Amino acid sequence: MNYKKQILTPEALKACEKMNALGSQRTPFIFIIDYGMNHPEVFTFEELEKKNIFFKINDTTNYSSEANQYLHDTSLKKFPISFEAYHQAFGTVKHHLQRGDSFLINLTQPTPVETEMSLLEIFERSQAKYKLYFQDQFVLFSPETFVGIQNGIISSHPMKGTISANIPNAEEEILKNKKELAEHTTIVDLIRNDISMVAEKVWVERFRYIDRITTNDGDLLQVSSEICGILPKNYHHQLGTLLFRMLPAGSITGAPKPQTIEIIREAEGYNRGFYTGVFGIFDGENLDSSVMIRFIEKTKDGLIFKSGGGITVFSDEQSEYQEMIDKVYLSF
């Protein structure tokens, strides 16, 4: 397969080449790639031992501890930006949508939070498919798969659509919502295009299925789809190339991706950093990875929880503002 060329920063190119080399040797490794692909990290499991980085992906982890008796309060205090401040960012996004510059834009904002727990304790206690603790700088507990590779089949599971499970007939309500359907269909089409750049015979295996997410504020329902494709036989030699080719992830940018990335930069007014990047592991044969959402970062001004959602021309500003706040939660 001839991969389309992508201009990478020197740091990203170095990480890409290391992933290709380790993949061709079938050497297990972990990768942690920031949203802007400016500071990617790639470590073999041996290199990871002294890095103060812990992960858990399904049943695979490098962290072990005896059961702790936690004494800290598990509450999370939120201090979201004002609706007026959100209105400015939303207005920029809506302007570009109405001009036809984009069909779907993922708008995120930082929310200051307070908790008695450390980032490591949040990592230990969180119940999520993907967990990462990075050098006491940030922690994430993500429910969303970026891509997985099993036996030469690449698959992606974009999440688009969130509703409180406490709402009467919540599953029916979100599945029949026209705005949510349009948003989800756009992302599925975008991910199909992204996978088509590195794979053949791309198909949608499942369209709009429901996952239940447990949080400290009550359960949420999230809508996902599964898109698959067949990789070339030599894909182990090109793991870095194919992953970087699909970045940043479509579910946290929008469509069309290049123009939407520029709109996001204009509207958001802050640095996403590692938030909405990707991390994952290659076990020597197969690969699993996550979009880095549900993300708490330590800054000089305190803890910041970054969250957001997809905006279309049909979006209601108040509902999107509330969804951004609702996604600030702990998964236990």
Tab-separated table of all heavy atoms in Angstrom, residues 6 8-16 19 30-43 132 134 137-138 140 146 243-250 252-253 257 261 265 270-280 290-293 295 297 306:
chain	number	residue	atom	x	y	z
A	6	GLN	N	2.567	12.826	4.538
A	6	GLN	CA	2.096	13.839	5.463
A	6	GLN	C	3.319	14.563	6.011
A	6	GLN	O	4.332	13.931	6.339
A	6	GLN	CB	1.301	13.201	6.601
A	6	GLN	CG	0.747	14.194	7.604
A	6	GLN	CD	0.019	13.493	8.736
A	6	GLN	OE1	0.369	12.379	9.114
A	6	GLN	NE2	-0.990	14.132	9.292
A	8	LEU	N	5.383	16.002	8.737
A	8	LEU	CA	5.454	15.833	10.178
A	8	LEU	C	6.553	16.713	10.759
A	8	LEU	O	7.549	17.012	10.092
A	8	LEU	CB	5.742	14.372	10.535
A	8	LEU	CG	4.714	13.325	10.093
A	8	LEU	CD1	5.215	11.927	10.451
A	8	LEU	CD2	3.359	13.578	10.737
A	9	THR	N	6.367	17.128	12.009
A	9	THR	CA	7.433	17.825	12.719
A	9	THR	C	8.595	16.862	12.925
A	9	THR	O	8.421	15.632	12.859
A	9	THR	CB	6.939	18.309	14.091
A	9	THR	OG1	6.609	17.163	14.908
A	9	THR	CG2	5.705	19.192	13.953
A	10	PRO	N	9.804	17.380	13.182
A	10	PRO	CA	10.935	16.474	13.452
A	10	PRO	C	10.660	15.503	14.584
A	10	PRO	O	11.043	14.323	14.517
A	10	PRO	CB	12.073	17.443	13.797
A	10	PRO	CG	11.726	18.700	13.069
A	10	PRO	CD	10.227	18.789	13.120
A	11	GLU	N	9.968	15.975	15.633
A	11	GLU	CA	9.646	15.101	16.763
A	11	GLU	C	8.682	13.992	16.344
A	11	GLU	O	8.837	12.831	16.737
A	11	GLU	CB	9.033	15.917	17.907
A	11	GLU	CG	9.974	16.907	18.549
A	11	GLU	CD	10.123	18.203	17.766
A	11	GLU	OE1	9.404	18.385	16.750
A	11	GLU	OE2	10.944	19.042	18.178
A	12	ALA	N	7.666	14.352	15.553
A	12	ALA	CA	6.700	13.360	15.089
A	12	ALA	C	7.350	12.374	14.137
A	12	ALA	O	7.072	11.164	14.182
A	12	ALA	CB	5.519	14.047	14.418
A	13	LEU	N	8.230	12.863	13.267
A	13	LEU	CA	8.920	11.976	12.331
A	13	LEU	C	9.789	10.968	13.079
A	13	LEU	O	9.819	9.783	12.731
A	13	LEU	CB	9.777	12.806	11.372
A	13	LEU	CG	10.523	12.015	10.289
A	13	LEU	CD1	9.545	11.250	9.408
A	13	LEU	CD2	11.383	12.951	9.461
A	14	LYS	N	10.468	11.427	14.116
A	14	LYS	CA	11.300	10.530	14.924
A	14	LYS	C	10.452	9.454	15.596
A	14	LYS	O	10.809	8.269	15.607
A	14	LYS	CB	12.062	11.341	15.975
A	14	LYS	CG	13.012	10.517	16.836
A	14	LYS	CD	13.746	11.416	17.826
A	14	LYS	CE	14.682	10.596	18.723
A	14	LYS	NZ	15.390	11.475	19.693
A	15	ALA	N	9.306	9.872	16.153
A	15	ALA	CA	8.408	8.915	16.804
A	15	ALA	C	7.848	7.930	15.794
A	15	ALA	O	7.748	6.725	16.060
A	15	ALA	CB	7.272	9.656	17.511
A	16	CYS	N	7.463	8.427	14.619
A	16	CYS	CA	6.923	7.579	13.556
A	16	CYS	C	7.940	6.522	13.141
A	16	CYS	O	7.610	5.338	13.007
A	16	CYS	CB	6.536	8.449	12.371
A	16	CYS	SG	5.874	7.555	10.956
A	19	MET	N	8.303	3.838	15.815
A	19	MET	CA	7.169	2.915	15.799
A	19	MET	C	7.283	1.936	14.637
A	19	MET	O	7.002	0.746	14.785
A	19	MET	CB	5.861	3.703	15.725
A	19	MET	CG	5.564	4.510	16.985
A	19	MET	SD	4.183	5.671	16.806
A	19	MET	CE	2.811	4.514	16.709
A	30	ILE	N	4.593	1.306	23.825
A	30	ILE	CA	3.473	2.206	24.102
A	30	ILE	C	3.736	3.522	23.386
A	30	ILE	O	4.889	3.951	23.253
A	30	ILE	CB	3.296	2.453	25.626
A	30	ILE	CG1	2.095	3.378	25.894
A	30	ILE	CG2	4.557	3.008	26.248
A	30	ILE	CD1	1.764	3.536	27.377
A	31	PHE	N	2.692	4.151	22.866
A	31	PHE	CA	2.825	5.458	22.233
A	31	PHE	C	1.819	6.423	22.844
A	31	PHE	O	0.690	6.054	23.171
A	31	PHE	CB	2.637	5.367	20.716
A	31	PHE	CG	1.344	4.724	20.271
A	31	PHE	CD1	0.221	5.486	19.974
A	31	PHE	CD2	1.267	3.346	20.147
A	31	PHE	CE1	-0.963	4.891	19.568
A	31	PHE	CE2	0.087	2.733	19.734
A	31	PHE	CZ	-1.031	3.502	19.443
A	32	ILE	N	2.271	7.674	23.031
A	32	ILE	CA	1.452	8.744	23.604
A	32	ILE	C	1.678	9.963	22.721
A	32	ILE	O	2.766	10.541	22.722
A	32	ILE	CB	1.854	9.047	25.061
A	32	ILE	CG1	1.852	7.768	25.905
A	32	ILE	CG2	0.924	10.094	25.668
A	32	ILE	CD1	2.571	7.909	27.241
A	33	ILE	N	0.666	10.346	21.930
A	33	ILE	CA	0.830	11.374	20.906
A	33	ILE	C	-0.115	12.531	21.204
A	33	ILE	O	-1.333	12.340	21.283
A	33	ILE	CB	0.556	10.802	19.502
A	33	ILE	CG1	1.438	9.561	19.243
A	33	ILE	CG2	0.799	11.867	18.438
A	33	ILE	CD1	1.102	8.833	17.956
A	34	ASP	N	0.432	13.722	21.365
A	34	ASP	CA	-0.384	14.893	21.667
A	34	ASP	C	-1.189	15.329	20.452
A	34	ASP	O	-0.897	14.939	19.316
A	34	ASP	CB	0.503	16.039	22.163
A	34	ASP	CG	1.595	16.416	21.167
A	34	ASP	OD1	2.345	15.517	20.754
A	34	ASP	OD2	1.693	17.603	20.783
A	35	TYR	N	-2.190	16.148	20.693
A	35	TYR	CA	-3.118	16.578	19.645
A	35	TYR	C	-2.400	17.222	18.463
A	35	TYR	O	-2.692	16.921	17.303
A	35	TYR	CB	-4.140	17.549	20.244
A	35	TYR	CG	-5.009	18.262	19.229
A	35	TYR	CD1	-6.004	17.587	18.531
A	35	TYR	CD2	-4.836	19.629	18.980
A	35	TYR	CE1	-6.805	18.247	17.610
A	35	TYR	CE2	-5.632	20.290	18.060
A	35	TYR	CZ	-6.614	19.597	17.377
A	35	TYR	OH	-7.398	20.252	16.457
A	36	GLY	N	-1.437	18.089	18.741
A	36	GLY	CA	-0.722	18.773	17.682
A	36	GLY	C	0.442	17.994	17.114
A	36	GLY	O	1.110	18.468	16.193
A	37	MET	N	0.700	16.809	17.647
A	37	MET	CA	1.806	15.937	17.213
A	37	MET	C	3.158	16.633	17.328
A	37	MET	O	4.068	16.415	16.529
A	37	MET	CB	1.560	15.438	15.783
A	37	MET	CG	0.367	14.527	15.651
A	37	MET	SD	-0.019	14.078	13.938
A	37	MET	CE	-0.972	15.517	13.414
A	38	ASN	N	3.295	17.476	18.363
A	38	ASN	CA	4.546	18.199	18.585
A	38	ASN	C	5.452	17.544	19.621
A	38	ASN	O	6.663	17.772	19.616
A	38	ASN	CB	4.236	19.636	19.036
A	38	ASN	CG	3.516	20.434	17.975
A	38	ASN	OD1	3.937	20.476	16.827
A	38	ASN	ND2	2.402	21.064	18.355
A	39	HIS	N	4.862	16.739	20.517
A	39	HIS	CA	5.646	16.139	21.593
A	39	HIS	C	5.275	14.661	21.792
A	39	HIS	O	4.965	14.240	22.907
A	39	HIS	CB	5.434	16.908	22.899
A	39	HIS	CG	5.703	18.374	22.788
A	39	HIS	ND1	6.981	18.899	22.689
A	39	HIS	CD2	4.861	19.440	22.729
A	39	HIS	CE1	6.916	20.210	22.587
A	39	HIS	NE2	5.642	20.570	22.610
A	40	PRO	N	5.299	13.864	20.729
A	40	PRO	CA	4.918	12.454	20.877
A	40	PRO	C	5.963	11.671	21.661
A	40	PRO	O	7.165	11.994	21.632
A	40	PRO	CB	4.838	11.977	19.421
A	40	PRO	CG	5.796	12.855	18.689
A	40	PRO	CD	5.708	14.199	19.349
A	41	GLU	N	5.501	10.647	22.371
A	41	GLU	CA	6.385	9.781	23.150
A	41	GLU	C	6.170	8.340	22.709
A	41	GLU	O	5.022	7.893	22.548
A	41	GLU	CB	6.083	9.900	24.647
A	41	GLU	CG	6.206	11.307	25.221
A	41	GLU	CD	7.646	11.686	25.528
A	41	GLU	OE1	8.562	10.916	25.157
A	41	GLU	OE2	7.857	12.746	26.148
A	42	VAL	N	7.267	7.598	22.532
A	42	VAL	CA	7.217	6.175	22.192
A	42	VAL	C	8.224	5.461	23.077
A	42	VAL	O	9.410	5.825	23.099
A	42	VAL	CB	7.548	5.924	20.706
A	42	VAL	CG1	7.467	4.423	20.397
A	42	VAL	CG2	6.608	6.704	19.793
A	43	PHE	N	7.767	4.453	23.827
A	43	PHE	CA	8.641	3.720	24.724
A	43	PHE	C	8.413	2.221	24.568
A	43	PHE	O	7.265	1.769	24.467
A	43	PHE	CB	8.365	4.079	26.196
A	43	PHE	CG	8.494	5.540	26.525
A	43	PHE	CD1	7.373	6.297	26.818
A	43	PHE	CD2	9.743	6.151	26.565
A	43	PHE	CE1	7.479	7.642	27.134
A	43	PHE	CE2	9.859	7.499	26.889
A	43	PHE	CZ	8.737	8.241	27.175
A	132	LEU	N	-4.609	6.285	31.673
A	132	LEU	CA	-3.217	6.689	31.551
A	132	LEU	C	-2.900	7.726	32.615
A	132	LEU	O	-3.643	8.696	32.800
A	132	LEU	CB	-2.947	7.274	30.158
A	132	LEU	CG	-1.533	7.795	29.896
A	132	LEU	CD1	-0.520	6.651	29.904
A	132	LEU	CD2	-1.472	8.551	28.566
A	134	PHE	N	0.355	10.154	33.495
A	134	PHE	CA	1.571	10.603	32.831
A	134	PHE	C	2.357	11.556	33.730
A	134	PHE	O	2.024	12.738	33.832
A	134	PHE	CB	1.212	11.296	31.513
A	134	PHE	CG	2.398	11.662	30.654
A	134	PHE	CD1	2.929	10.764	29.751
A	134	PHE	CD2	2.985	12.918	30.757
A	134	PHE	CE1	4.010	11.094	28.963
A	134	PHE	CE2	4.068	13.271	29.970
A	134	PHE	CZ	4.585	12.348	29.074
A	137	GLN	N	1.529	14.806	35.466
A	137	GLN	CA	1.120	15.964	34.680
A	137	GLN	C	-0.345	15.886	34.283
A	137	GLN	O	-1.046	16.895	34.275
A	137	GLN	CB	1.975	16.084	33.421
A	137	GLN	CG	3.443	16.352	33.674
A	137	GLN	CD	4.244	16.413	32.381
A	137	GLN	OE1	3.734	16.802	31.339
A	137	GLN	NE2	5.500	16.020	32.440
A	138	PHE	N	-0.808	14.685	33.942
A	138	PHE	CA	-2.213	14.519	33.600
A	138	PHE	C	-2.632	13.070	33.808
A	138	PHE	O	-1.802	12.161	33.896
A	138	PHE	CB	-2.521	14.971	32.170
A	138	PHE	CG	-1.872	14.166	31.074
A	138	PHE	CD1	-2.417	12.955	30.651
A	138	PHE	CD2	-0.734	14.616	30.438
A	138	PHE	CE1	-1.835	12.210	29.639
A	138	PHE	CE2	-0.139	13.889	29.423
A	138	PHE	CZ	-0.692	12.682	29.018
A	140	LEU	N	-6.002	10.369	32.482
A	140	LEU	CA	-7.205	10.238	31.663
A	140	LEU	C	-7.833	8.870	31.887
A	140	LEU	O	-7.160	7.907	32.267
A	140	LEU	CB	-6.900	10.465	30.183
A	140	LEU	CG	-6.060	9.433	29.458
A	140	LEU	CD1	-6.946	8.444	28.710
A	140	LEU	CD2	-5.113	10.082	28.478
A	146	PHE	N	-9.563	4.728	19.619
A	146	PHE	CA	-9.135	5.385	18.379
A	146	PHE	C	-9.124	4.336	17.278
A	146	PHE	O	-10.043	4.276	16.477
A	146	PHE	CB	-7.764	6.029	18.558
A	146	PHE	CG	-7.206	6.594	17.280
A	146	PHE	CD1	-7.972	7.443	16.487
A	146	PHE	CD2	-5.927	6.282	16.859
A	146	PHE	CE1	-7.481	7.962	15.298
A	146	PHE	CE2	-5.415	6.800	15.670
A	146	PHE	CZ	-6.190	7.633	14.893
A	243	LEU	N	-0.592	5.233	11.564
A	243	LEU	CA	-1.246	5.933	12.663
A	243	LEU	C	-1.148	7.448	12.496
A	243	LEU	O	-2.150	8.166	12.620
A	243	LEU	CB	-0.641	5.507	14.000
A	243	LEU	CG	-1.123	4.161	14.544
A	243	LEU	CD1	-0.298	3.745	15.749
A	243	LEU	CD2	-2.595	4.242	14.936
A	244	PHE	N	0.048	7.956	12.209
A	244	PHE	CA	0.197	9.399	12.039
A	244	PHE	C	-0.611	9.903	10.844
A	244	PHE	O	-1.069	11.047	10.845
A	244	PHE	CB	1.672	9.770	11.887
A	244	PHE	CG	2.378	9.973	13.200
A	244	PHE	CD1	3.126	8.963	13.772
A	244	PHE	CD2	2.282	11.189	13.866
A	244	PHE	CE1	3.776	9.149	14.982
A	244	PHE	CE2	2.927	11.394	15.080
A	244	PHE	CZ	3.682	10.372	15.645
A	245	ARG	N	-0.793	9.048	9.835
A	245	ARG	CA	-1.572	9.459	8.662
A	245	ARG	C	-3.010	9.786	9.035
A	245	ARG	O	-3.655	10.623	8.397
A	245	ARG	CB	-1.542	8.353	7.593
A	245	ARG	CG	-2.224	8.750	6.292
A	245	ARG	CD	-1.440	9.842	5.578
A	245	ARG	NE	-2.183	10.471	4.482
A	245	ARG	CZ	-2.938	11.543	4.614
A	245	ARG	NH1	-3.112	12.107	5.801
A	245	ARG	NH2	-3.553	12.070	3.571
A	246	MET	N	-3.539	9.147	10.066
A	246	MET	CA	-4.936	9.339	10.454
A	246	MET	C	-5.128	10.405	11.527
A	246	MET	O	-6.259	10.656	11.954
A	246	MET	CB	-5.527	8.011	10.929
A	246	MET	CG	-5.631	6.965	9.839
A	246	MET	SD	-6.455	5.447	10.403
A	246	MET	CE	-5.181	4.775	11.475
A	247	LEU	N	-4.041	11.017	11.995
A	247	LEU	CA	-4.128	11.996	13.071
A	247	LEU	C	-4.238	13.422	12.534
A	247	LEU	O	-3.764	13.705	11.437
A	247	LEU	CB	-2.901	11.879	13.975
A	247	LEU	CG	-2.793	10.597	14.780
A	247	LEU	CD1	-1.493	10.561	15.580
A	247	LEU	CD2	-3.986	10.437	15.722
A	248	PRO	N	-4.849	14.334	13.373
A	248	PRO	CA	-5.543	14.034	14.621
A	248	PRO	C	-6.846	13.282	14.374
A	248	PRO	O	-7.358	13.268	13.261
A	248	PRO	CB	-5.806	15.421	15.221
A	248	PRO	CG	-5.820	16.343	14.052
A	248	PRO	CD	-4.848	15.772	13.060
A	249	ALA	N	-7.353	12.654	15.417
A	249	ALA	CA	-8.539	11.810	15.283
A	249	ALA	C	-9.741	12.609	14.788
A	249	ALA	O	-9.974	13.750	15.207
A	249	ALA	CB	-8.869	11.161	16.628
A	250	GLY	N	-10.519	12.005	13.885
A	250	GLY	CA	-11.668	12.680	13.307
A	250	GLY	C	-12.757	13.007	14.306
A	250	GLY	O	-13.440	14.029	14.184
A	252	ILE	N	-12.593	14.077	17.250
A	252	ILE	CA	-12.340	15.243	18.100
A	252	ILE	C	-11.889	16.449	17.274
A	252	ILE	O	-11.422	17.434	17.835
A	252	ILE	CB	-11.339	14.926	19.234
A	252	ILE	CG1	-10.081	14.210	18.719
A	252	ILE	CG2	-12.018	14.085	20.301
A	252	ILE	CD1	-9.121	15.049	17.948
A	253	THR	N	-12.068	16.365	15.950
A	253	THR	CA	-11.826	17.527	15.094
A	253	THR	C	-13.122	17.856	14.367
A	253	THR	O	-13.862	18.728	14.785
A	253	THR	CB	-10.667	17.257	14.105
A	253	THR	OG1	-10.881	16.007	13.426
A	253	THR	CG2	-9.343	17.236	14.826
A	257	LYS	N	-11.614	17.697	7.680
A	257	LYS	CA	-10.652	17.818	8.773
A	257	LYS	C	-9.690	18.999	8.644
A	257	LYS	O	-9.534	19.760	9.627
A	257	LYS	CB	-9.881	16.504	8.938
A	257	LYS	CG	-9.068	16.458	10.239
A	257	LYS	CD	-8.182	15.235	10.310
A	257	LYS	CE	-8.949	13.961	10.504
A	257	LYS	NZ	-8.032	12.804	10.723
A	261	ILE	N	-9.696	21.927	11.579
A	261	ILE	CA	-8.599	22.116	12.531
A	261	ILE	C	-8.255	23.598	12.664
A	261	ILE	O	-8.006	24.099	13.775
A	261	ILE	CB	-7.371	21.294	12.091
A	261	ILE	CG1	-7.645	19.795	12.265
A	261	ILE	CG2	-6.131	21.698	12.900
A	261	ILE	CD1	-6.580	18.903	11.661
A	265	ARG	N	-8.678	26.033	16.089
A	265	ARG	CA	-7.599	26.879	16.613
A	265	ARG	C	-8.098	28.308	16.834
A	265	ARG	O	-7.760	28.948	17.840
A	265	ARG	CB	-6.421	26.869	15.637
A	265	ARG	CG	-5.198	27.644	16.131
A	265	ARG	CD	-4.040	27.576	15.154
A	265	ARG	NE	-3.495	26.224	15.077
A	265	ARG	CZ	-3.573	25.446	13.994
A	265	ARG	NH1	-4.183	25.881	12.906
A	265	ARG	NH2	-3.053	24.232	13.993
A	270	TYR	N	-7.100	28.166	23.364
A	270	TYR	CA	-6.218	27.568	24.361
A	270	TYR	C	-5.515	26.371	23.731
A	270	TYR	O	-5.905	25.903	22.659
A	270	TYR	CB	-6.990	27.160	25.616
A	270	TYR	CG	-7.703	25.819	25.536
A	270	TYR	CD1	-7.194	24.699	26.198
A	270	TYR	CD2	-8.870	25.666	24.793
A	270	TYR	CE1	-7.842	23.476	26.120
A	270	TYR	CE2	-9.525	24.454	24.714
A	270	TYR	CZ	-9.007	23.357	25.387
A	270	TYR	OH	-9.647	22.147	25.307
A	271	ASN	N	-4.470	25.894	24.392
A	271	ASN	CA	-3.675	24.785	23.877
A	271	ASN	C	-4.238	23.463	24.393
A	271	ASN	O	-4.255	23.227	25.602
A	271	ASN	CB	-2.213	24.959	24.306
A	271	ASN	CG	-1.301	23.887	23.737
A	271	ASN	OD1	-1.720	23.057	22.922
A	271	ASN	ND2	-0.054	23.899	24.162
A	272	ARG	N	-4.678	22.589	23.500
A	272	ARG	CA	-5.191	21.284	23.936
A	272	ARG	C	-4.100	20.416	24.547
A	272	ARG	O	-4.386	19.566	25.397
A	272	ARG	CB	-5.825	20.547	22.757
A	272	ARG	CG	-7.154	21.103	22.293
A	272	ARG	CD	-7.807	20.148	21.305
A	272	ARG	NE	-9.096	20.620	20.829
A	272	ARG	CZ	-9.924	19.885	20.080
A	272	ARG	NH1	-9.565	18.656	19.704
A	272	ARG	NH2	-11.075	20.367	19.682
A	273	GLY	N	-2.855	20.561	24.108
A	273	GLY	CA	-1.781	19.730	24.623
A	273	GLY	C	-1.991	18.262	24.283
A	273	GLY	O	-2.288	17.907	23.136
A	274	PHE	N	-1.882	17.400	25.282
A	274	PHE	CA	-2.099	15.968	25.044
A	274	PHE	C	-3.586	15.615	24.975
A	274	PHE	O	-3.949	14.541	24.487
A	274	PHE	CB	-1.419	15.123	26.131
A	274	PHE	CG	0.053	14.922	25.886
A	274	PHE	CD1	0.990	15.784	26.420
A	274	PHE	CD2	0.497	13.874	25.087
A	274	PHE	CE1	2.345	15.611	26.182
A	274	PHE	CE2	1.848	13.676	24.841
A	274	PHE	CZ	2.772	14.559	25.383
A	275	TYR	N	-4.444	16.497	25.479
A	275	TYR	CA	-5.879	16.259	25.409
A	275	TYR	C	-6.323	16.123	23.951
A	275	TYR	O	-5.950	16.928	23.097
A	275	TYR	CB	-6.625	17.418	26.083
A	275	TYR	CG	-8.122	17.415	25.873
A	275	TYR	CD1	-8.893	16.343	26.303
A	275	TYR	CD2	-8.766	18.487	25.246
A	275	TYR	CE1	-10.277	16.341	26.116
A	275	TYR	CE2	-10.129	18.496	25.064
A	275	TYR	CZ	-10.880	17.410	25.495
A	275	TYR	OH	-12.238	17.406	25.307
A	276	THR	N	-7.104	15.103	23.678
A	276	THR	CA	-7.611	14.709	22.357
A	276	THR	C	-6.519	14.184	21.436
A	276	THR	O	-6.738	14.007	20.236
A	276	THR	CB	-8.423	15.820	21.646
A	276	THR	OG1	-7.579	16.923	21.353
A	276	THR	CG2	-9.611	16.246	22.483
A	277	GLY	N	-5.329	13.918	21.998
A	277	GLY	CA	-4.357	13.119	21.268
A	277	GLY	C	-4.746	11.653	21.357
A	277	GLY	O	-5.902	11.317	21.656
A	278	VAL	N	-3.788	10.767	21.121
A	278	VAL	CA	-4.070	9.333	21.218
A	278	VAL	C	-2.946	8.637	21.982
A	278	VAL	O	-1.807	9.100	21.980
A	278	VAL	CB	-4.238	8.667	19.832
A	278	VAL	CG1	-5.361	9.311	19.050
A	278	VAL	CG2	-2.946	8.699	19.032
A	279	PHE	N	-3.313	7.549	22.654
A	279	PHE	CA	-2.290	6.688	23.240
A	279	PHE	C	-2.722	5.242	23.062
A	279	PHE	O	-3.911	4.938	22.918
A	279	PHE	CB	-2.043	7.041	24.712
A	279	PHE	CG	-2.768	6.172	25.713
A	279	PHE	CD1	-2.131	5.076	26.297
A	279	PHE	CD2	-4.069	6.462	26.090
A	279	PHE	CE1	-2.784	4.292	27.220
A	279	PHE	CE2	-4.731	5.671	27.019
A	279	PHE	CZ	-4.095	4.569	27.586
A	280	GLY	N	-1.730	4.354	23.052
A	280	GLY	CA	-2.062	2.948	22.876
A	280	GLY	C	-0.845	2.058	23.025
A	280	GLY	O	0.267	2.534	23.310
A	290	SER	N	-6.502	4.573	22.152
A	290	SER	CA	-7.611	5.381	22.656
A	290	SER	C	-7.457	6.836	22.263
A	290	SER	O	-6.341	7.353	22.148
A	290	SER	CB	-7.656	5.292	24.186
A	290	SER	OG	-8.533	6.244	24.743
A	291	VAL	N	-8.594	7.506	22.084
A	291	VAL	CA	-8.606	8.963	22.007
A	291	VAL	C	-8.527	9.499	23.434
A	291	VAL	O	-9.269	9.057	24.314
A	291	VAL	CB	-9.880	9.473	21.313
A	291	VAL	CG1	-9.872	10.999	21.241
A	291	VAL	CG2	-10.010	8.879	19.921
A	292	MET	N	-7.644	10.450	23.682
A	292	MET	CA	-7.398	10.909	25.046
A	292	MET	C	-8.423	11.971	25.465
A	292	MET	O	-8.163	13.174	25.454
A	292	MET	CB	-5.960	11.415	25.183
A	292	MET	CG	-4.937	10.293	25.052
A	292	MET	SD	-3.309	10.656	25.747
A	292	MET	CE	-2.651	11.744	24.486
A	293	ILE	N	-9.603	11.473	25.817
A	293	ILE	CA	-10.662	12.315	26.365
A	293	ILE	C	-10.904	11.903	27.814
A	293	ILE	O	-10.336	10.934	28.290
A	293	ILE	CB	-11.956	12.217	25.538
A	293	ILE	CG1	-12.438	10.759	25.455
A	293	ILE	CG2	-11.745	12.795	24.145
A	293	ILE	CD1	-13.788	10.603	24.771
A	295	PHE	N	-10.181	13.944	30.629
A	295	PHE	CA	-8.780	14.312	30.779
A	295	PHE	C	-8.627	15.389	31.845
A	295	PHE	O	-9.246	16.457	31.744
A	295	PHE	CB	-8.301	14.822	29.411
A	295	PHE	CG	-6.848	15.170	29.300
A	295	PHE	CD1	-5.967	14.293	28.691
A	295	PHE	CD2	-6.355	16.381	29.760
A	295	PHE	CE1	-4.623	14.622	28.542
A	295	PHE	CE2	-5.025	16.716	29.624
A	295	PHE	CZ	-4.148	15.831	29.004
A	297	GLU	N	-5.730	17.709	33.839
A	297	GLU	CA	-4.350	18.155	33.712
A	297	GLU	C	-3.965	19.048	34.888
A	297	GLU	O	-4.750	19.887	35.335
A	297	GLU	CB	-4.176	18.919	32.402
A	297	GLU	CG	-2.773	19.404	32.132
A	297	GLU	CD	-2.642	20.064	30.763
A	297	GLU	OE1	-3.658	20.101	30.028
A	297	GLU	OE2	-1.544	20.533	30.433
A	306	LYS	N	-10.591	19.096	30.657
A	306	LYS	CA	-10.915	19.556	29.310
A	306	LYS	C	-12.025	18.690	28.721
A	306	LYS	O	-11.959	17.463	28.797
A	306	LYS	CB	-9.662	19.527	28.422
A	306	LYS	CG	-8.562	20.453	28.932
A	306	LYS	CD	-7.279	20.335	28.129
A	306	LYS	CE	-6.215	21.293	28.645
A	306	LYS	NZ	-4.933	21.178	27.912
